[in-house]
Amino acid sequence: MTTDASEAWKQWHEHRTETVAAPYGPLALTGTYWLEDCPGGRLPDIAGSWTVEGDAVVLTAADGDGLTVDGQPFAGAVRLTADRGPAGVARVAYGERRLVVLVREGVWGVRDFDPASAARRAFRGIEATPYDPRWSVPGRFTQYGEDRTVRVENADGRARGLGLGGELAFRLDGRELTLQVTVQGDGSLWAVFGDATSGNGSYRFRFLRPAAPDADGRTTVDLNRALLPPCAFADHFICPFPPPGNTLELAVEAGERHLL
């Protein structure tokens, strides 16, 4: 069983590395621009005018701006809602770059993904600790009576709301531990956590994505699959820091640790 789990981890790590290094993966992000901070709707080194009108962004461009929308050369004005898919299928492109419209707590922005980014060219892999079965333990999820939102600092220095749907309890090294988690749309869980290695042997915080619990709340807490957050790959992501109670006292010497 351990051999199978170890092999599955290797495949997961290889796939993860490929995903990060993809043309429009997190290493390709070269800028996140909040439109409220961009006078006249002008973004640095990006053609067109980008302005907020109600519940959308209006992009205005001329023939010579070199923008495309839905794969076609674009001139005129178009209303854009937030892109929901991966960056590679964003509606607006500027040459090989993809311009992703996003909104956070009512604030609209544009992300610039460039396959030729310096970070993508310099990428050599992710330092990750090989699989160790001691870091994979049973967990039990208990849903809150109602969803909660806590304000936490984000990597860009702003505080934002982080939705929390319940608590994940597990036992590790003789300790009873808990993490506050978000419930994703597919039922899986997402935790932002720190531990005794954070900033001293590992990145300053990490993500964990346990599978959807069964009807009794049972799932697996596999810290071998602790993830670097997107802001470890590009400074322009706005990852949330761990909420109160999500910094574990023990050293989680497992999972992804740093970029190579």
Side-chain angles (χ1 to χ4, degrees):
M1 181 66 72
T2 299
T3 300
D4 291 344
S6 179
E7 185 59 34
W9 182 89
K10 289 179 182 177
Q11 294 177 5
W12 168 82
H13 178 59
E14 290 170 0
H15 176 72
R16 166 76 169 157
T17 303
E18 292 170 359
T19 300
V20 165
Y24 299 102
L27 290 162
L29 183 64
T30 60
T32 295
Y33 306 108
W34 301 109
L35 299 188
E36 64 182 14
D37 299 330
C38 299
R42 298 295 178 178
L43 277 56
D45 193 33
I46 295 175
S49 173
W50 304 72
T51 57
V52 178
E53 289 189 11
D55 59 354
V57 170
V58 174
L59 168 61
T60 305
D63 284 323
D65 284 340
L67 294 172
T68 63
V69 175
D70 299 329
Q72 300 298 318
F74 174 73
V78 61
R79 288 179 66 85
L80 303 168
T81 56
D83 287 295
R84 300 300 181 187
V89 297
R91 294 187 65 193
V92 184
Y94 191 25
E96 293 299 313
R97 292 152 66 182
R98 296 294 181 269
L99 305 177
V100 176
V101 177
L102 73 155
V103 60
R104 292 290 186 275
E105 297 187 328
V107 180
W108 289 85
V110 175
R111 280 181 169 156
D112 183 1
F113 284 83
D114 185 353
S117 72
R120 186 165 178 260
R121 294 196 307 270
F123 180 63
R124 297 293 179 267
I126 302 171
E127 178 187 339
T129 302
Y131 181 85
D132 185 336
R134 70 178 280 244
W135 296 109
S136 181
V137 297
R140 185 173 295 274
F141 171 69
T142 303
Q143 190 166 6
Y144 294 141
E146 57 185 23
D147 287 344
R148 305 176 184 178
T149 300
V150 297
R151 303 292 291 181
V152 298
E153 291 295 317
N154 282 225
D156 65 348
R158 301 190 187 188
R160 296 183 177 86
L162 176 65
L164 299 170
E167 186 174 272
L168 181 62
F170 55 101
R171 185 177 179 83
L172 190 63
D173 285 350
R175 305 187 192 188
E176 301 293 337
L177 303 171
T178 60
L179 290 172
Q180 296 189 83
V181 298
T182 298
V183 181
Q184 305 289 82
D186 62 358
S188 63
L189 307 178
W190 172 49
V192 186
F193 78 97
D195 68 277
T197 72
S198 296
N200 182 27
S202 295
Y203 191 71
R204 53 184 174 168
F205 61 94
R206 290 181 282 174
F207 288 175
L208 188 67
R209 299 187 181 276
D214 66 14
D216 295 320
R218 293 174 298 192
T219 187
T220 298
V221 178
D222 189 356
L223 291 161
N224 292 288
R225 301 197 182 197
L227 297 160
L228 294 179
C231 54
F233 302 100
D235 292 336
H236 307 285
F237 284 105
I238 54 173
C239 304
F241 291 171
N246 271 30
T247 298
L248 305 176
E249 293 183 358
L250 78 166
V252 178
E253 297 173 333
E256 296 182 352
R257 311 293 287 277
H258 292 289
L259 294 185
L260 292 175

